[in-house]
Amino acid sequence: MEPSLASYLALSGVLFTIGAVGVIFKRNAIGMFMCIELMLNAVNLTFVAFSRYYGDVTGQLFVFMVMSVAAAEAAVGLGIIIAFFRNKQSVDVDDASLMRN
Amino acid sequence: MVTTALFFVFAGLAIACAISMVYHRNPLYSAISLVGVFISLSCIYLTLAAPFIAAVQILIYAGAIMVLVVFVIMLLNLDDEPTANRLKYLWALGAGLGVLLLAQTFFIFYAVMRAPNVPSDQNLTAGKTMNIGQAMYTEYLLPVEIVGVLLLMAIIGSVILVRRLKQPKLELVVDNELELRHEEKPLI
């Protein structure tokens, strides 16, 4: 006996929820970045679970693509955070409100 | 039976590490917790008969991306996040959104439970590395090429973002603005 598809989807949903709530609660740009990575992983879990239950390789290929995009996102995102830190000496997203006032 | 036990152990570990990641204010503790989430998810991929994805998860996420994140945290020497002094309503908003998403999740759980049961594929061929490689270089060749171009763009983009630009020589400078600019020279 093995866990049903629904339990994998439920785990994925819980992880995605934690990530989405974390993006709202965190004020640190790096913290928000890590929460986004968590959400990407939750989606990857659904892809692999469906791939297992339908016996199709496409889901795992898609996971591979998502991982590549996450790596690209990490490089560019951390570059933006470093450039922001140089200008403001802070990574707090509340300091990035130059356009507001 | 063993698969079920392993699934629940690692699912619990993943959820605990994810909550710990959101809870901690020190970004380094968050990063370590996130590594825990990645490793438990990798073990869950193994229970799903996807060894290639499990290995790549460890290599790319826990190995490359998190090392980059920890490196940036150390480089910027970040302190603990201060407690929120404003935006109290964000707590209500975040909790509301969380409850909404959880309700949606369990609605999906319920709907899938009600749906006709999908038997899992018994011959376990989909996750084999050979099949993935074959699909990657025949049927899905174009997406793989596009991802390669995307990674190249990310490399060039991050180099251009982080590069320190030279100060332009000719500039209209009024009074002692130049001294002011020299005073607020960036730290790194």
Side-chain angles (χ1 to χ4, degrees):
Chain A
M1 177 203 160
E2 56 186 42
S4 64
L5 180 59
S7 40
Y8 288 105
L9 295 187
L11 171 63
S12 159
V14 169
L15 287 181
F16 191 90
T17 306
I18 293 172
V21 171
V23 168
I24 291 180
F25 282 165
K26 290 265 181 190
R27 295 161 63 237
N28 195 330
I30 294 185
M32 295 174 82
F33 173 80
M34 288 192 286
C35 290
I36 292 172
E37 296 289 327
L38 182 64
M39 289 198 281
L40 286 175
N41 266 279
V43 175
N44 279 353
L45 181 61
T46 61
F47 275 124
V48 178
F50 278 120
S51 161
R52 167 82 178 86
Y53 278 85
Y54 290 104
D56 190 352
V57 78
T58 312
Q60 302 196 11
L61 256 299
F62 214 105
V63 170
F64 190 74
M65 304 294 165
V66 170
M67 281 179 180
S68 312
V69 173
E73 179 220 329
V76 176
L78 291 174
I80 290 174
I81 289 175
I82 288 181
F84 178 62
F85 186 82
R86 268 188 196 154
N87 286 327
K88 298 266 184 181
Q89 274 75 50
S90 151
V91 290
D92 195 330
V93 287
D94 288 346
D95 290 337
S97 57
L98 199 67
M99 299 276 282
R100 199 172 57 189
N101 37 19
Chain B
M1 199 60 221
V2 178
T3 315
T4 311
L6 282 177
F7 170 74
F8 282 109
V9 166
F10 288 116
L13 197 61
I15 291 173
C17 286
I19 289 174
S20 145
M21 184 198 84
V22 177
Y23 175 75
H24 277 298
R25 293 197 172 275
N26 189 335
L28 198 56
Y29 292 163
S30 295
I32 302 295
S33 308
L34 192 56
V35 172
V37 176
F38 290 156
I39 292 175
S40 353
L41 277 181
S42 164
C43 297
I44 287 176
Y45 293 156
L46 282 180
T47 69
L48 279 169
F52 175 73
I53 296 298
V56 167
Q57 168 92 5
I58 294 280
L59 282 177
I60 294 184
Y61 271 117
I65 293 181
M66 289 321 290
V67 167
L68 203 60
V69 168
V70 170
F71 186 77
V72 168
I73 291 172
M74 300 269 187
L75 182 73
L76 301 187
N77 197 14
L78 296 180
D79 292 330
D80 286 12
E81 199 175 340
T83 49
N85 51 359
R86 59 179 201 89
L87 299 177
K88 294 278 187 206
Y89 67 94
L90 269 187
W91 284 92
L93 183 67
L97 181 72
V99 168
L100 199 71
L101 274 171
L102 263 187
Q104 202 174 10
T105 300
F106 285 102
F107 175 73
I108 292 171
F109 184 81
Y110 178 72
V112 173
M113 290 281 272
R114 291 281 302 262
N117 196 13
V118 183
S120 65
D121 180 35
Q122 287 304 325
N123 49 12
L124 300 180
T125 51
K128 280 190 184 154
T129 310
M130 196 184 79
N131 292 345
I132 293 177
Q134 213 162 27
M136 200 184 283
Y137 288 106
T138 53
E139 196 180 348
Y140 298 97
L141 185 61
L142 185 63
V144 171
E145 302 271 355
I146 292 173
V147 161
V149 174
L150 177 76
L151 285 175
L152 182 68
M153 282 162 58
I155 293 170
I156 297 172
S158 53
V159 167
I160 287 177
L161 267 177
V162 183
R163 190 184 55 177
R164 195 184 293 274
L165 293 175
K166 274 183 197 161
Q167 296 287 335
K169 292 239 171 92
L170 284 177
E171 219 177 340
L172 191 63
V173 177
V174 277
D175 284 349
N176 48 8
E177 196 189 351
L178 199 62
E179 284 85 350
L180 284 177
R181 279 191 201 176
H182 278 294
E183 278 171 11
E184 51 190 32
K185 194 179 282 182
L187 286 181
I188 58 168

